[in-house]
């Protein structure tokens, strides 16, 4: 540095100039670091969001908001497909694609109490789902019959997979396991309307008569559900929904499904098998008034039972006329003759899908002599297998239903609810 008269001043200026540049360089470096940090954070966040999006898409498009369906993938289609395949093949997390929820203005709540046996209630549930769908109401999971001849205490969830029932129909109707707390309190205070709907009505009856009651009371309880919706003359959309409920949404519980498969596997080990729905049970004979082959004591017992149930409207019945009109179930003896006339191999396995046969072994002797390979769930399984099913006739009937679906031949001896439902299910399969 020069030592002139103004040297000191010149030296100070040079030092100050160098300090400003250094400060600017440091400032620019800090800004660059901050920008880099922000860029890294943004990039990391974007990658995480994209990863979450792909995983949500892989697990099921309808689990997330519907808007996610239209978003482009952050990865290629191949990567997304690979991610989906990986999730589907994972045994810990099976893929379950749910239909999108149907959005509608809720007009109120529909409660239903089913009556009858398993397949009668099954058909009624199909009707009630269709009615709830076309009235735009919320359906509460149906209550099953506990007071009929069978005295079965089973709840809906004891027989059917209730979560599957609710989720598989979410694109058609909102179904809840129970009323919301606020609405439930109103019902407990008696603020609901209870009635049996008119039998064999079409959907216009529910639109014009039932819907106004739901809108007025918010909760309507239909206390009888058998044959409340006409089978024929309904719009095609209603018939499709009824079939969907019957053959897809009403899936049995895992316990019932597994035991049903066990029975089927046992039968399959011995070759082909036939299911005989031998509807010669006490309740059927009492209801129909068919006493052919019964002694006087049995005929009187069946008549007494018919009078004991007030909702069985027909009381005085001529059994001979009923039989001539073809309205009686085949007796075990008549069944043997029919199978022989159809040239059914006498050595084929015949699984009896029925409850206790009225008249016991005395009435079964003729059939057993003609077809010796008779089997029932009670003879194929250990008593421990059926211990939890005892005194639960609907759960027992569910096992028979599953075996009927998988049989090589299905032969009903009466054109009742099970015959119709199994026939439809086998046709769909």
């Amino acid at each position: 540095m020069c030592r002139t008269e103004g040297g000191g001043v010149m030296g100070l200026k040079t030092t100050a100039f160098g300090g400003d540049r250094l400060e600017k360089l440091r400032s620019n470096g800090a800004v660059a670091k901050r920008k880099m940090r922000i860029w890294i954070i943004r990039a990391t966040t974007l990658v995480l969001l994209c990863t979450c999006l792909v995983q949500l898409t892989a697990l099921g498009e309808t689990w997330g908001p519907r808007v996610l369906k239209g978003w482009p993938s952050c990865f290629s289609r191949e990567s997304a497909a690979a991610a989906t395949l990986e999730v589907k093949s994972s045994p810990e997390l099976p893929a379950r694609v749910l239909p999108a929820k149907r959005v509608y203005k809720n007009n109120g709540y529909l409660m239903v109490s089913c009556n009858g046996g398993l397949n009668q209630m099954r058909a009624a549930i199909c009707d009630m789902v269709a009615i709830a769908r076309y009235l735009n109401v919320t359906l509460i999971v149906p209550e099953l019959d506990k007071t009929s001849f069978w005295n079965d205490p089973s709840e809906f969830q004891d027989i059917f997979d209730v979560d599957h029932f609710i989720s598989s129909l979410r694109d058609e109707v909102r179904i809840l396991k129970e009323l919301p707390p606020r609405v439930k309190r109103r019902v407990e205070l008696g603020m609901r309307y209870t009635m049996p709907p008119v039998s064999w009505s079409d959907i216009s009856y529910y639109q014009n008569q039932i819907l106004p009651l739901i809108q007025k009371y918010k909760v309507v309880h239909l206390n009888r559900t058998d044959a409340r919706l006409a089978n024929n003359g309904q719009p095609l959309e209603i018939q499709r929904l009824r079939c969907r409920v019957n053959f897809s949404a009403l899936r049995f519980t895992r316990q019932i499904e597994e035991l049903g498969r066990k029975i089927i596997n046992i039968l399959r080990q011995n070759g082909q098998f036939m299911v005989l729905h031998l509807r010669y049970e006490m309740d059927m004979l009492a209801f129909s008034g068919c006493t052919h082959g019964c002694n006087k004591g049995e005929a009187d017992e069946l008549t007494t039972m018919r009078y004991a149930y007030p909702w069985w409207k027909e009381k005085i019945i001529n059994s001979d006329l009923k039989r001539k009109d073809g309205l009686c179930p085949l007796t075990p003896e008549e069944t043997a003759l029919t199978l022989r006339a159809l040239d059914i191999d006498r050595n084929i396995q015949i699984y009896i899908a029925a409850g206790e046969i009225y008249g016991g072994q005395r009435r079964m002797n003729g059939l057993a002599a003609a077809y010796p390979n008779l089997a029932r769930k009670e003879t194929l399984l250990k008593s421990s297998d059926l211990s939890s099913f005892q005194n639960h006739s609907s759960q027992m009937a569910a096992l028979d239903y599953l075996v009927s679906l998988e049989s090589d031949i299905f032969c009903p001896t009466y054109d009742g609810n099970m015959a119709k439902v199994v026939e439809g299910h086998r046709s769909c399969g």
Side-chain angles (χ1 to χ4, degrees):
M1 184 178 296
C2 298
R3 295 294 180 180
T4 59
E5 184 178 350
V9 177
M10 290 296 294
L12 287 174
K13 286 183 180 179
T14 303
T15 303
F17 176 74
D20 289 342
R21 286 189 63 185
L22 187 59
E23 286 299 320
K24 286 181 180 179
L25 287 173
R26 288 176 179 171
S27 176
N28 290 339
V31 170
K33 286 181 180 180
R34 281 198 299 271
K35 288 182 178 180
M36 179 63 72
R37 235 183 258 117
I38 292 172
W39 184 88
I40 291 173
I41 291 171
R42 287 177 176 174
T44 304
T45 303
L46 182 60
V47 170
L48 288 173
L49 286 173
C50 290
T51 302
C52 292
L53 178 60
V54 170
Q55 292 300 322
L56 283 172
T57 304
L59 289 173
E61 291 181 349
T62 56
W63 287 12
R66 299 183 69 180
V67 70
L68 293 180
K69 293 182 182 179
W71 285 15
S73 173
C74 296
F75 301 99
S76 65
R77 291 179 180 270
E78 292 77 6
S79 300
T84 303
L85 183 62
E86 183 180 352
V87 172
K88 284 185 177 180
S89 62
S90 171
E92 294 83 9
L93 187 62
R96 187 183 183 191
V97 179
L98 301 178
K101 285 184 179 179
R102 177 170 170 260
V103 179
Y104 60 92
K105 180 183 177 182
N106 183 35
N107 287 319
Y109 298 87
L110 180 64
M111 301 177 68
V112 296
S113 294
C114 301
N115 58 290
L118 173 65
N119 293 291
Q120 184 173 323
M121 293 190 291
R122 186 186 186 106
I125 292 167
C126 300
D127 288 349
M128 296 302 113
V129 170
I131 291 166
R133 161 63 176 82
Y134 285 92
L135 298 187
N136 286 336
V137 300
T138 296
L139 176 67
I140 306 303
V141 169
E143 177 187 14
L144 302 187
D145 192 344
K146 301 178 182 62
T147 61
S148 66
F149 168 78
W150 300 274
N151 291 317
D152 188 343
S154 299
E155 302 288 354
F156 186 98
Q157 61 270 20
D158 297 325
I159 301 173
F160 301 108
D161 184 338
V162 65
D163 293 323
H164 174 76
F165 175 69
I166 293 172
S167 62
S168 65
L169 293 169
R170 55 187 264 161
D171 60 327
E172 293 284 1
V173 62
R174 183 183 180 218
I175 304 175
L176 299 177
K177 293 181 181 179
E178 59 181 12
L179 290 166
R182 179 180 56 83
V183 182
K184 190 175 182 179
R185 285 193 292 271
R186 287 167 52 91
V187 170
E188 290 169 350
L189 294 173
M191 300 173 68
R192 74 173 181 184
Y193 190 87
T194 300
M195 63 173 289
V198 177
S199 297
W200 303 107
S201 302
D202 61 23
I203 198 65
S204 64
Y205 163 78
Y206 293 91
Q207 291 279 4
N208 300 329
Q209 302 294 325
I210 305 301
L211 181 57
L213 293 173
I214 295 176
Q215 291 172 328
K216 178 179 179 180
Y217 294 97
K218 298 305 177 186
V219 180
V220 166
H221 175 220
L222 303 183
N223 56 13
R224 289 186 67 79
T225 59
D226 60 318
R228 299 296 129 167
L229 192 62
N231 287 329
N232 300 313
Q234 300 285 9
L236 184 59
E237 294 77 13
I238 290 181
Q239 302 291 37
R240 283 175 177 162
L241 179 56
R242 293 166 90 185
C243 287
R244 178 180 170 188
V245 177
N246 210 352
F247 307 135
S248 178
L250 286 175
R251 187 168 69 188
F252 293 122
T253 63
R254 179 177 295 182
Q255 182 187 19
I256 292 174
E257 293 271 1
E258 289 177 351
L259 196 55
R261 280 195 296 270
K262 186 173 183 178
I263 298 173
I264 294 165
N265 290 337
I266 293 172
L267 290 166
R268 282 275 175 239
Q269 288 173 2
N270 297 316
Q272 293 184 321
F273 69 94
M274 169 184 179
V275 166
L276 183 63
H277 185 219
L278 190 57
R279 195 70 171 92
Y280 201 77
E281 300 149 314
M282 186 177 185
D283 66 296
M284 182 70 247
L285 299 178
F287 173 76
S288 63
C290 297
T291 58
H292 179 72
C294 298
N295 57 42
K296 186 179 184 305
E298 291 171 337
D300 291 342
E301 182 182 39
L302 294 173
T303 301
T304 300
M305 180 181 177
R306 184 165 65 253
Y307 276 87
Y309 290 90
W311 52 86
W312 289 355
K313 303 299 183 183
E314 196 175 7
K315 300 299 180 184
I316 302 175
I317 299 175
N318 186 315
S319 178
D320 291 334
L321 289 178
K322 261 288 184 77
R323 187 163 178 266
K324 288 178 181 178
D325 289 338
L327 299 176
C328 289
L330 294 178
T331 67
E333 298 88 350
E334 290 170 336
T335 301
L337 292 173
T338 302
L339 295 180
R340 290 173 64 184
L342 293 171
D343 199 25
I344 299 296
D345 184 353
R346 76 181 305 271
N347 294 315
I348 192 172
Q349 298 177 95
I350 297 182
Y351 177 89
I352 305 296
E356 183 178 353
I357 301 303
Y358 193 63
Q361 193 58 43
R362 175 179 66 86
R363 300 305 302 271
M364 290 294 292
N365 284 335
L367 179 60
Y371 291 91
N373 290 332
L374 299 181
R376 302 174 65 101
K377 50 188 169 292
E378 292 86 354
T379 63
L380 297 174
L381 299 172
K382 299 176 182 177
S383 57
S384 57
D385 291 328
L386 289 170
S387 59
S388 63
F389 290 80
Q390 297 299 329
N391 302 319
H392 294 83
S393 60
S394 291
Q395 295 182 46
M396 289 288 212
L399 294 174
D400 288 343
Y401 187 93
L402 289 171
V403 179
S404 299
L405 292 183
E406 296 299 323
S407 63
D408 298 290
I409 304 172
F410 174 69
C411 180
T413 62
Y414 182 76
D415 189 27
N417 291 303
M418 181 166 175
K420 293 183 175 69
V421 175
V422 169
E423 180 184 357
H425 209 152
R426 286 169 68 99
S427 299
C428 291

